[in-house]
């Protein structure tokens, strides 16, 4: 066939000198037209590593076909092209990469045809056929290249090995508005002017990432004239925004076909995307439930320009396409000891006591007569069943995510157990994350329903959080309309009256997404199954001897909801649970007195303020506290002096400091007498593993990196790795974080990010966080032992030991909190005293009025922030608060 008469710019090779692009990989391919383009021959520009691999004598495992969106071109995939060749040269699994410029785009031919989605899918198939690509084939697409690549994948399953998508969408609900950016671009009078007549659409897209000017110019290179930009306008015009649009049927065929794809799938997303939102990702995961998903926090629409995605993709292919990966080197893995499966369901005790009029939950913030509000087991059980039926009537189904923005107390307890009962997945992110962190967490979890108090619902409305809205309390009609509230919790029982409850969820079904504190990076959603929550209940009950008569006071949010699961009454003290330092000794005593509790749970920051406010206790308060038998402080390390002072307020209690984290709320436990008896080791002793849990150590290398090997040998410092029946299932849409957390280990193991060692008695000692290890020329140094030494100096209230300088040659700097009004270098006298207190050589001693801590616990020192501040000060910058 011959080319028809040229009517516009024709295909050409890109200009030389574009950053990151090897001109030798560019080629022009002549392809016979198909469908509406039949009878023509079209010239495509592609980046193709096939010849480069052949010149090296390397046979590729398969081909990655990469499809760009609008208004980019194959240049978007240069990192994947380059990384694939570099890895092939290094002996890793070789993949051929073919990155196309779609017709009308990039440096491919411009034609008079308006290309629909169906046409573009057929065009891509014609190119793949012309290039002789047989299989296995992996497709990867971005933006509107997503539907094109996935559309080809659905129609060519026999050759398909895997599918990958970055920031895309495959379905547009009937009647739903387009994202704002696309509504502007497609508006009448704006389409031609904004996409073709000017470079506005191109400019706005490229402004979505912080691009080097030369890279920005490279993206603009194919679109210098109006004639070369017609494809940009055509792509926007082809967005199937209505059922009547000519591309809607093809989009529906493709999106429906995804449900039948069984090949591995990887979905990568930059959440700061004004075009494709979390609802689009949610839709994709619903169609590809087996997909691995990773959200790169802080990245946006042009994810490929903002994060090192190429190695992620190639590593994933090594893992997921079995024949692709070379045999891994053998490492000694942590054992995977078979453990008894947890029995029963989290609400079994609630069901067993449904006819019991004894107290189940006490709300210390609400008064009824002369005392706090008491809710009986009968009332709570009835309320849970009513809300469960009402939520089912409201349309909440098993697997739906429900964000709970309600303060701990009877209302939250009932709502949480009602959600669990019908198989909904509860999303718990507290206000301790701060408004930005809370918003990021809730939006990232993409809740189907938000149940909240007025403040939470107002934030949801103002910040655009997804999900239908239910108010905790009945609201005036005007307020409900303003907040987008469809019902209140008091409405639900009426809606569900007489409605049978659905079948309870399976033990391995997801039950909860609990967000981490965000003290070591953006808060992560930790996913628990029903079996894992039941295992947590069983471990807690067995280790601490919880019975129906025990009673709990829980001033620590993660445990505030476990009372009903344990079958014992519980009370949350009058406090702001998102600010633990608001808890007073009198409030604890009042909660103990009201609940006749024998166990008290507190966070370390709460303990500090309880001790500080002990002077306000009455004789009746002290008498109540004397009846406490077990005192626990968990969430962060607790100093022995603080433990002693807390126990002095509860003189008949055994003080415990369990070690755990959001990913595994109980790992190990130690008592105050055991701490006092343990001596000679550096760090904080947190005791032995609980129940059937296991702890091992992954030793550190000279740069502070943890090994894939693990050991239980005493006094080997390394990353703490754990396993337990109540260990999380994984992280929510953080595939890479999941993979790193179990790197080199079995499936049910977790790298904690903490460093420490085991002693000769099998007790675990925590020495700090892995990112805070100081890599000196003499080897890695952990901070906690140094800080303990420095804090023995009378003038020092708290200390942080941090590293300054390049990795492998860092020096140790002590930053101390002394109450000084101005930060800076310590006085000679204080410097001498601090240096005398520790055997570790210190390069400098700096003072600050207050060391920065995390929001939720108010106790974990932000050593990364302190280290950066210390480096600036020692470089001569005028000291300011860190």
């Amino acid at each position: 066939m011959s080319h028809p008469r040229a009517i516009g710019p024709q295909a050409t090779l890109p200009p030389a000198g574009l950053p990151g692009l090897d001109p030798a990989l560019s080629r022009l391919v002549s392809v016979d037209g198909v469908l509406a383009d039949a009878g023509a021959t079209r010239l495509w520009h592609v980046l193709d590593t096939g010849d480069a691999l052949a010149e090296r004598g390397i046979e590729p495992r398969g081909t990655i076909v990469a499809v760009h969106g609008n208004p980019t071109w194959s240049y978007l995939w240069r990192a994947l092209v380059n990384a694939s060749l570099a890895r092939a040269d290094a002996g890793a699994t070789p993949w051929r990469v073919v990155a196309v410029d779609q017709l009308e785009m990039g440096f491919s031919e411009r034609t008079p045809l308006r290309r629909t989605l169906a046409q573009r899918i057929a065009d891509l198939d014609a190119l793949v056929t012309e290039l002789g690509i047989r299989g296995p084939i992996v497709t990867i697409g971005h933006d509107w290249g997503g539907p094109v690549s996935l559309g080809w994948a659905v129609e060519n399953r026999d050759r398909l090995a895997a599918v990958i998508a970055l920031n895309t969408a495959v379905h547009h609900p009937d009647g739903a508005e387009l994202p704002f950016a696309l509504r502007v671009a497609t508006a009448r009078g704006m389409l031609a002017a904004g996409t073709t007549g000017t470079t506005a659409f191109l400019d706005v897209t490229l402004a979505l990432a912080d691009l080097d000017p030369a890279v920005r110019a490279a993206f603009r290179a194919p679109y210098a004239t109006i004639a070369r930009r017609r494809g940009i306008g055509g792509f926007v015009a082809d967005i199937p925004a209505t059922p009547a649009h000519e591309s809607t049927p093809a989009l529906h065929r493709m999106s429906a076909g995804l449900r039948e794809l069984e090949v591995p799938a990887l979905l990568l997303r930059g959440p700061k995307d004004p075009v494709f939102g979390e609802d689009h990702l949610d839709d994709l995961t619903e169609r590809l439930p087996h997909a691995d998903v990773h959200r790169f926090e802080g990245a946006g629409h042009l994810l490929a320009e903002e994060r090192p995605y190429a190695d992620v993709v190639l590593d994933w292919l090594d893992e997921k396409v079995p024949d692709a990966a070379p045999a891994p080197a053998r490492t000694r893995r942590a054992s995977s000891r078979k453990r008894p499966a947890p029995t029963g369901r989290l609400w079994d005790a609630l069901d067993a006591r449904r006819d019991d009029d004894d107290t189940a939950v006490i709300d210390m913030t609400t008064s009824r007569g002369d005392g706090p509000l008491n809710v009986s087991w009968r009332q709570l059980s009835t309320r849970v069943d009513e809300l469960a039926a009402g939520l089912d009537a409201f349309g909440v189904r098993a697997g739906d995510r429900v964000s709970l923005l309600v303060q701990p107390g009877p209302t939250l307890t009932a709502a949480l157990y009602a959600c669990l009962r019908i198989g909904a997945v509860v999303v718990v992110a507290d206000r301790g994350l701060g408004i930005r962190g809370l918003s990021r967490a809730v939006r990232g979890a993409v809740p189907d329903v938000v149940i909240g108090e007025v403040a939470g619902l107002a934030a949801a409305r103002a910040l655009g959080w997804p999900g239908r809205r239910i108010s905790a309390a009945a609201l005036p009609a005007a307020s409900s309309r303003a907040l987008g509230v469809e019902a209140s919790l008091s409405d639900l029982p009426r809606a569900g009256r007489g409605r049978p409850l659905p079948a309870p969820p399976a033990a391995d079904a997801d039950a909860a997404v609990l967000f981490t504190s965000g003290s070591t990076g953006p808060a992560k959603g930790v996913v628990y199954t029903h079996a894992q929550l039941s295992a947590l209940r069983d471990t807690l009950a067995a280790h601490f001897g919880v019975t129906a008569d025990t009673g709990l006071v829980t001033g620590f949010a993660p445990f505030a909801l476990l009372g009903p699961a344990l079958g014992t009454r519980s009370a949350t003290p009058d406090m702001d649970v998102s600010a633990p330092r608001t808890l007073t000794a009198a409030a604890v005593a009042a909660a103990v007195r009201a609940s006749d509790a024998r166990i008290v749970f507190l966070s370390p920051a709460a303990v500090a303020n309880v001790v500080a406010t002990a002077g306000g206790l009455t004789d009746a308060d002290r008498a109540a506290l004397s009846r406490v038998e077990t005192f626990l402080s968990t969430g962060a390390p607790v100093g022995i002096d603080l433990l002693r002072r807390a126990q002095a307020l509860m003189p008949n209690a055994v003080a415990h400091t369990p070690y755990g984290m959001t990913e595994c709320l109980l790992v190990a436990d130690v008592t105050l007498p055991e701490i006092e008896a343990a001596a000679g080791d550096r760090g904080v002793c947190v005791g032995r593993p609980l129940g059937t849990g296991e702890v091992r150590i992954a030793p550190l290398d000279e740069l502070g990196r943890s090994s894939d090997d693990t050991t239980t040998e005493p006094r080997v410092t390394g990353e703490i790795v754990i396993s337990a029946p109540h260990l999380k299932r994984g992280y929510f849409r953080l595939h890479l974080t999941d993979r790193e957390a179990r790197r080199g280990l079995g499936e049910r193991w977790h790298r904690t990010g903490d460093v420490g060692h085991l002693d000769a008695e099998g007790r675990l000692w925590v020495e700090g966080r892995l990112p805070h290890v100081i890599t000196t020329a003499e080897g890695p140094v952990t901070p906690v032992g140094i800080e303990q030494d420095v804090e023995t100096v009378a003038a020092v209230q708290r200390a942080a030991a941090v590293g300054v300088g390049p990795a492998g040659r860092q020096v140790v700097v002590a930053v101390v909190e002394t109450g000084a009004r101005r930060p800076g270098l310590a006085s000679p006298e204080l410097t001498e005293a601090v240096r005398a207190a520790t055997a570790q050589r210190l390069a400098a001693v700096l003072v600050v009025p207050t060391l920065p801590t995390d929001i939720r616990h108010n106790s974990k020192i932000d050593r990364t922030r302190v280290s950066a501040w210390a480096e600036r000060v020692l470089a001569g910058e005028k000291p300011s608060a860190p």
Side-chain angles (χ1 to χ4, degrees):
M1 295 182 184
S2 60
H3 286 280
R5 183 173 59 86
I7 54 84
Q10 297 306 295
T12 183
L13 294 174
L18 299 184
L21 187 65
D22 181 354
L25 301 178
S26 276
R27 60 183 293 201
L28 298 178
V29 183
S30 183
V31 181
D32 289 343
V34 291
L35 298 185
D37 216 14
T41 301
R42 300 304 182 192
L43 204 56
W44 294 62
H45 168 253
V46 302
L47 301 177
D48 187 355
T49 65
D51 289 346
L53 290 172
E55 290 170 3
R56 292 163 165 82
I58 297 174
E59 181 69 24
R61 159 72 179 127
T63 302
I64 301 171
V65 176
V67 186
H68 67 85
N70 189 29
T72 57
W73 56 287
S74 56
Y75 185 70
L76 181 78
W77 305 111
R78 66 195 182 282
L80 181 61
V81 168
N82 296 335
S84 67
L85 287 176
R87 289 165 72 115
D89 287 339
T93 303
W95 285 92
R96 177 186 181 187
V97 178
V98 175
V100 309
D101 282 5
Q102 300 194 62
L103 291 172
E104 329 303 342
M105 301 294 288
F107 290 96
S108 286
E109 182 177 346
R110 268 56 171 175
T111 78
L113 188 66
R114 180 183 171 189
R115 295 184 184 276
T116 62
L117 176 59
Q119 181 69 49
R120 289 195 177 279
I121 293 171
D123 291 342
L124 180 63
D125 186 59
L127 174 68
V128 169
T129 300
E130 178 63 33
L131 290 173
I133 303 172
R134 293 179 179 83
I137 295 174
V138 176
T139 65
I140 182 170
H142 170 254
D143 187 82
W144 291 108
V148 175
S149 63
L150 292 170
W152 184 91
V154 165
E155 295 178 7
N156 293 273
R157 299 174 204 180
D158 56 328
R159 290 183 282 174
L160 195 65
V163 294
I164 305 169
L166 284 64
N167 284 58
T168 191
V170 298
H171 175 68
H172 186 74
D174 293 346
E177 284 192 318
L178 288 173
F180 177 76
L182 295 181
R183 292 205 306 274
V184 172
T186 55
R188 180 174 297 180
M190 289 292 294
L191 177 58
T195 61
T196 305
T198 71
T199 60
F201 188 81
L202 179 62
D203 296 340
V204 169
T205 301
L206 297 179
L208 295 177
D210 184 16
L211 301 179
D212 180 271
V215 170
R216 185 178 292 108
F219 274 114
R220 297 171 65 91
Y223 305 116
T225 66
I226 289 175
R228 295 199 67 87
R229 290 194 294 272
R230 278 200 294 264
I232 296 177
F235 240 130
V236 173
D238 194 47
I239 296 170
T242 66
H245 194 283
E246 59 188 319
S247 282
T248 295
L251 187 70
H252 284 175
R253 281 195 304 275
M254 179 271 298
S255 58
L258 288 181
R259 299 184 189 279
E260 300 173 12
L261 279 189
E262 297 179 351
V263 297
L266 176 64
L267 305 175
L268 303 178
R269 169 164 166 74
K272 294 174 64 176
D273 188 342
V275 182
F276 301 114
E278 295 289 347
D279 54 332
H280 294 116
L281 177 62
D282 215 28
D283 175 73
L284 268 168
T285 59
E286 192 270 330
R287 296 171 192 279
L288 294 166
H290 64 286
D292 294 314
V293 182
H294 189 82
R295 299 169 74 256
F296 290 88
E297 198 61 59
H301 180 68
L302 292 175
L303 172 64
E305 297 298 316
E306 300 181 70
R307 295 293 186 272
Y309 80 99
D311 283 329
V312 170
V313 165
L314 295 169
D315 285 345
W316 180 82
L317 287 174
D318 281 351
E319 179 184 347
K320 295 296 183 176
V321 182
D323 294 340
R330 291 192 61 184
T331 59
R332 182 155 52 94
R333 288 175 173 262
S335 65
S336 295
R337 187 172 68 197
K338 188 170 180 60
R339 302 180 180 90
T343 57
R345 303 182 185 280
L346 203 63
W347 56 87
D348 284 348
L350 191 57
D351 281 351
R353 301 190 68 173
R354 65 172 50 255
D355 296 323
D356 192 335
D357 290 317
D358 284 347
T359 298
V361 178
I362 301 170
D363 184 357
M364 299 301 297
T365 65
T366 304
S367 297
R368 286 291 187 271
D370 295 331
L373 171 64
N374 288 357
V375 178
S376 71
W377 291 99
R378 185 193 301 273
Q379 291 170 321
L380 182 59
S381 179
T382 299
R383 184 65 168 166
V384 167
D385 286 350
E386 290 175 343
L387 289 179
L391 288 168
D392 184 58
F394 188 74
V396 179
R397 297 291 176 260
D400 286 354
R401 291 182 294 278
V402 180
S403 179
L404 299 175
L405 302 176
V406 182
Q407 286 277 12
T411 299
L412 176 59
T413 300
L416 181 138
Y417 282 90
C419 290
L420 294 176
R421 174 60 185 81
I422 64 172
V425 180
V426 296
V427 178
V428 181
D430 66 54
R431 288 190 297 125
L433 295 175
I435 191 63
R436 290 180 61 187
L438 177 61
S439 183
R440 185 166 51 229
V442 173
R443 288 178 63 86
V446 202
D448 300 283
V449 176
V450 175
I451 301 176
E453 294 163 343
V454 170
L457 294 172
R461 186 74 166 185
L463 298 171
W465 298 346
R468 301 170 67 190
R469 312 292 160 77
I470 298 174
S471 62
L475 300 176
S479 298
S480 292
R481 285 194 299 272
L483 296 172
V485 169
E486 297 181 46
S488 71
L489 289 180
S490 58
D491 296 329
L492 294 183
R494 290 191 294 272
R497 191 167 294 146
R499 187 183 186 92
L501 291 178
D508 62 354
D510 290 349
V513 180
L514 311 180
F515 276 85
T516 61
S517 67
S519 59
T520 55
K524 301 181 288 290
V526 178
V527 182
Y528 279 91
T529 66
H530 285 268
Q532 288 153 6
L533 290 181
S534 296
L536 173 64
R537 172 203 62 195
D538 296 345
T539 299
L540 186 65
H543 184 75
F544 294 106
V546 180
T547 69
D549 296 324
T550 300
L552 306 175
V553 167
T554 52
F556 184 53
F559 291 103
L561 299 164
L562 279 174
L566 291 163
T568 194
R569 62 191 172 278
S570 60
T572 300
D574 187 2
M575 63 178 295
D576 179 352
V577 294
S578 66
R581 285 179 174 167
T582 62
L583 182 60
T584 65
V588 174
V592 169
R593 188 163 50 247
S595 60
D596 192 24
R598 296 294 182 265
I599 297 180
V600 173
F601 278 87
L602 300 178
S603 72
V607 173
N609 201 55
V610 166
V611 169
T613 57
L617 292 173
T618 66
D619 289 344
D621 290 337
R622 292 185 181 278
L625 292 175
S626 70
R627 295 196 294 273
V628 175
E629 297 172 355
T630 304
F631 160 64
L632 303 95
S633 182
T634 186
V638 184
I640 190 169
D641 290 339
L642 183 58
L643 272 182
R644 287 170 178 152
R645 284 184 285 162
Q647 189 179 29
L649 301 178
M650 295 171 270
N652 296 312
V654 177
H656 294 250
T657 59
Y659 166 67
M661 58 220 62
T662 310
E663 293 85 347
C664 189
L665 289 166
L666 290 172
V667 174
D669 182 42
V670 67
T671 66
L672 177 57
E674 288 171 334
I675 295 172
E676 291 174 324
D681 284 63
R682 306 282 282 169
V684 176
C685 181
V686 296
R688 297 177 178 84
L690 278 75
T692 58
E694 295 179 74
V695 172
R696 297 181 70 89
I697 302 297
L700 302 179
D701 66 12
E702 66 278 1
L703 291 178
R705 298 169 301 202
S706 60
S707 167
D708 285 354
D709 202 358
T710 64
T711 183
T712 56
E713 291 295 314
R715 293 186 173 84
V716 174
T717 294
E719 184 176 14
I720 300 167
V721 299
I722 61 173
S723 182
H726 50 282
L727 176 66
K728 65 171 173 58
R729 178 182 68 75
Y731 291 110
F732 184 72
R733 294 182 177 173
L734 291 172
H735 169 71
L736 302 181
T737 309
D738 265 332
R739 191 173 68 187
E740 176 58 25
R742 60 176 184 268
R743 170 177 52 86
L745 309 172
E747 185 69 22
R748 292 294 299 151
W749 283 82
H750 172 70
R751 293 179 176 272
T752 65
D754 289 334
V755 289
H757 69 274
L758 296 166
D759 66 16
E761 304 298 321
R763 294 172 297 210
L764 177 63
W765 295 71
V766 178
E767 301 177 52
R769 293 283 298 168
L770 191 62
H772 303 156
V773 171
I774 305 163
T775 56
T776 72
E778 291 77 33
V781 173
T782 55
V784 170
I786 303 169
E787 292 164 357
Q788 290 172 322
D789 293 340
V790 172
E791 287 170 358
T792 62
V793 176
V796 174
Q797 297 166 9
R798 287 191 301 178
V802 298
V804 170
R809 298 199 304 276
Q810 288 184 316
V811 295
V812 182
V813 174
V815 182
V816 299
E817 180 181 308
T818 62
R821 288 191 294 177
R822 294 181 180 178
L825 290 171
S827 67
E829 295 79 15
L830 180 58
T831 299
E832 182 179 353
V834 168
R835 283 179 166 154
T838 179
Q840 176 64 48
R841 186 170 58 194
L842 300 177
V845 179
L846 305 178
V847 296
V848 292
T850 305
L851 284 165
T853 60
D854 67 295
I855 297 172
R856 180 186 285 179
H857 300 289
N858 301 145
S859 59
K860 294 181 179 179
I861 295 171
D862 188 344
R863 296 190 188 94
T864 302
R865 181 173 161 187
V866 173
S867 175
W869 172 83
E871 188 145 4
R872 293 195 304 270
V873 170
L874 293 176
E877 184 177 301
K878 183 178 179 180
S880 59

